Amino acid sequence: MADTSRPKRFELARGTGTGTRIATGLFGFVLTLLAGLLALQRPGRNLVSLSYDLPYIYHKAGASGEIAIVYLDSLDAQNDELLDRSSQARLLDALGAAGAKAVVYDIIFENPSRNPQVDRDFAAAMRRFRGVDENGTAIPGSPRRSVFLAFGRENFQNTGVSGEILIPATDELLDAADNFGLAVYADDVFTARELTTGTIDEPSLAWTTATSLGTPLPEESRPDPRWINFAGPPVDPNDNDAVPAFLSLKASSAIAGMAPDLLRDKIVVVGGEPGIVGAALGKDLFKTPFHRFQPGGKYPLMSGVEIQANMLENLRQGNWLTRAGRGLDLTFVILTALLASIVFSRVRPMAAIVIAIASSLLLIVAGIWSMRVQGVWFAWSVPAFLQLPVALGWVSGAKYYLERSRRRSLGEAFAKVVSPEMLRQIAAEGYELRLGGERTTAALMFTDLADFTTMSEDVGDPVEILRHLNMYFEATTEHIFTHHGAVIQFVGDAIY
């Protein structure tokens, strides 16, 4: 009587499998969805930016055809924290002689020179380069070229009011230049990714230069988010075979006329040589997506002037990157949570691992293709590197726990009817009960208590009858198990 409930317990464990699988999948869906939604917020920005950074592991070497960089490599004779302004007139004359079509200064000349003649010479050189006189009138026979200067900006807070103020170049230099723009960079912990086009009121230096040179960029589209499509990594100074993304040379070499033909018809971006003034230019050095996966610090930090060149190149060529809308990111997050929870809860753990790896690889390929071919990137790294592992970990862990519970329940049930040795064999086979069997030589025995009915009537107490019956079952099954036997069933007072 005490053992008749055992088969029911086994049937219950089997009967609740579908319900348990549904509950496991539902909880996995919620957990995976929450992980994905959290990653799309600010705490997950490093994971999201991986979708933009990873495609830069592989890049094609090649130089820009229109833009070059000239690095200022000399300091002011009286202040070694300032770049030498006295050489700018000679530099502009040399660039004009070399045939450059435009010069973009990624330097803010906010203070007048100690020697006023230096600024006068600089302004006169700008006009000569542009081919105009002091009144801005074109000089007959002179080529028409352009000079662009940089503005800066600075945050301020005064009596509870905060805002930004512009830091312009001096009036004398502004009057001699064609136009100006903000030299600003959007960075995330000094990692440059976004292509900035200025503020609501003021365009960036790259935007001003591109539009002034005839690039068809509608002003109403200027606030649209854009991302830098880097032409290449900063050049490793120890790699003689590296191909720079932009032709570059030092100002001293340009002034000496060492590259007369290389700069013809180029837009020349001029800025300080990286590290030339130490800490004073420290904030003008940036990490890029290339630095996230660099092997052992291969690449130097990228200078602000090189980032400026990349942004200008993107605007001129129209090949900047865009990010897919937030709706697409949410769609991927929801679909990943739904499909992963359904599929992983229905397949074996090893199959789930294979599916998770294959799905992650597919997302990586799709993300790289979208960015490299379509110019659009989306947050594929969230489902690939967070949601799929979370779903796989939860479902696998839940299945492991449920399987342990199932085996423990089955072990307790079988322990009543088989020997310990046979129980170990069944457990080693995973309690997988299948239809069919195998031929073997065995003895069958059926036992029955003589006159059990009469004895039960004489005793009259069901509790006492059950106590004696269990004593009989325990003694009998102990001998059966000792001889490696198995109990098929208990039927009343009989054992088979």
Side-chain angles (χ1 to χ4, degrees):
M1 293 176 62
D3 297 293
T4 56
S5 63
R6 294 297 181 181
K8 293 180 180 179
R9 184 174 181 180
F10 176 56
E11 292 297 331
L12 180 63
R14 295 180 59 187
T16 56
T18 301
T20 302
R21 186 168 59 245
I22 293 175
T24 300
L26 182 60
F27 191 87
F29 167 73
V30 174
L31 183 63
T32 307
L33 179 62
L34 290 177
L37 294 177
L38 181 61
L40 292 180
Q41 307 306 313
R42 186 172 180 82
R45 60 184 180 180
N46 285 336
L47 179 60
V48 172
S49 64
L50 189 62
S51 301
Y52 172 84
D53 295 345
L54 191 64
Y56 284 106
I57 289 180
Y58 170 76
H59 59 277
K60 294 181 179 179
S64 169
E66 185 183 31
I67 297 175
I69 297 175
V70 169
Y71 289 111
L72 301 180
D73 55 343
S74 61
L75 297 174
D76 188 280
Q78 298 179 0
N79 187 347
D80 61 4
E81 287 298 316
L82 297 176
L83 293 167
D84 180 21
R85 194 181 301 184
S86 64
S87 62
Q88 299 312 307
R90 288 178 290 141
L91 175 62
L92 278 173
D93 289 339
L95 295 177
K101 68 179 179 181
V103 174
V104 183
Y105 274 97
D106 187 35
I107 304 168
I108 304 171
F109 299 106
E110 72 270 28
N111 297 314
S113 175
R114 290 185 182 87
N115 183 355
Q117 187 61 41
V118 170
D119 284 348
R120 286 194 290 269
D121 292 343
F122 190 8
M126 279 195 251
R127 293 188 178 94
R128 285 196 299 274
F129 183 86
R130 294 174 56 204
V132 299
D133 59 22
E134 291 185 357
N135 298 318
T137 303
I139 299 175
S142 296
R144 187 70 178 94
R145 295 176 292 209
S146 304
V147 176
F148 303 96
L149 298 181
F151 264 35
R153 63 180 180 177
E154 185 176 61
N155 296 324
F156 74 90
Q157 188 168 6
N158 187 15
T159 63
V161 178
S162 60
E164 289 184 344
I165 58 174
L166 294 179
I167 305 175
T170 65
D171 291 340
E172 184 174 15
L173 298 182
L174 276 179
D175 186 60
D178 281 274
N179 211 334
F180 62 88
L182 284 171
V184 291
Y185 311 100
D187 63 87
D188 181 7
V189 194
F190 285 101
T191 299
R193 295 187 178 94
E194 292 187 54
L195 194 162
T196 55
T197 54
T199 63
I200 296 176
D201 300 318
E202 299 293 341
S204 69
L205 181 60
W207 182 275
T208 296
T209 302
T211 54
S212 297
L213 294 178
T215 308
L217 295 170
E219 177 62 23
E220 59 270 18
S221 71
R222 187 168 63 82
D224 296 345
R226 295 172 173 84
W227 298 75
I228 301 174
N229 187 0
F230 285 95
V235 176
D236 178 8
N238 298 317
D239 187 355
N240 296 325
D241 297 326
V243 179
F246 298 96
L247 169 68
S248 63
L249 68 158
K250 295 182 178 182
S252 57
S253 299
I255 293 173
M258 297 176 63
D261 297 324
L262 295 179
L263 300 178
R264 185 167 302 280
D265 295 326
K266 299 282 188 184
I267 301 173
V268 179
V269 184
V270 180
E273 187 177 31
I276 186 173
V277 291
L281 274 183
K283 291 186 177 181
D284 200 43
L285 298 175
F286 298 84
K287 291 182 179 179
T288 66
F290 298 104
H291 295 92
R292 191 164 185 172
F293 308 101
Q294 62 174 322
K298 175 181 178 181
Y299 299 126
L301 295 177
M302 184 174 285
S303 64
V305 64
E306 189 169 353
I307 292 174
Q308 193 72 250
N310 274 282
M311 294 193 294
L312 179 56
E313 169 91 350
N314 289 172
L315 293 175
R316 289 285 288 171
Q317 300 298 324
N319 63 347
W320 62 79
L321 301 175
T322 58
R323 180 176 175 180
R326 185 172 177 80
L328 181 62
D329 291 342
L330 288 174
T331 300
F332 265 95
V333 165
I334 295 172
L335 286 178
T336 300
L338 181 62
L339 295 177
S341 58
I342 292 175
V343 173
F344 291 168
S345 63
R346 297 179 66 88
V347 300
R348 293 181 176 274
M350 186 55 65
I353 292 174
V354 172
I355 293 173
I357 294 175
S359 300
S360 295
L361 292 175
L362 182 62
L363 283 168
I364 293 173
V365 172
I368 294 176
W369 176 85
S370 176
M371 182 167 160
R372 288 303 187 193
V373 178
Q374 300 298 319
V376 179
W377 73 277
F378 60 95
W380 55 265
S381 55
V382 173
F385 298 140
L386 177 63
Q387 287 187 282
L388 288 175
V390 166
L392 180 62
W394 160 252
V395 173
S396 299
K399 284 186 174 183
Y400 175 76
Y401 173 78
L402 293 174
E403 180 64 16
R404 284 192 61 185
S405 299
R406 184 184 76 89
R407 292 194 177 202
R408 183 169 58 251
S409 299
L410 292 176
E412 292 173 357
F414 278 110
K416 300 293 184 180
V417 296
V418 299
S419 66
E421 181 179 340
M422 187 173 293
L423 178 60
R424 285 191 293 271
Q425 181 180 349
I426 295 174
E429 296 175 356
Y431 297 99
E432 296 293 337
L433 305 180
R434 295 178 294 273
L435 295 176
E438 59 183 25
R439 294 181 178 273
T440 185
T441 301
L444 302 178
M445 181 178 69
F446 178 84
T447 67
D448 187 28
L449 291 176
D451 299 324
F452 177 71
T453 302
T454 302
M455 181 185 70
S456 299
E457 292 174 350
D458 292 341
V459 174
D461 185 359
V463 175
E464 188 67 16
I465 294 173
L466 184 59
R467 186 177 68 83
H468 284 85
L469 192 60
N470 283 335
M471 291 174 58
Y472 163 66
F473 285 157
E474 289 176 2
T476 305
T477 54
E478 182 179 350
H479 285 285
I480 294 173
F481 295 161
T482 300
H483 292 83
H484 311 299
V487 176
I488 296 177
Q489 64 180 142
F490 297 95
V491 181
D493 61 318
I495 303 175
Y496 183 62

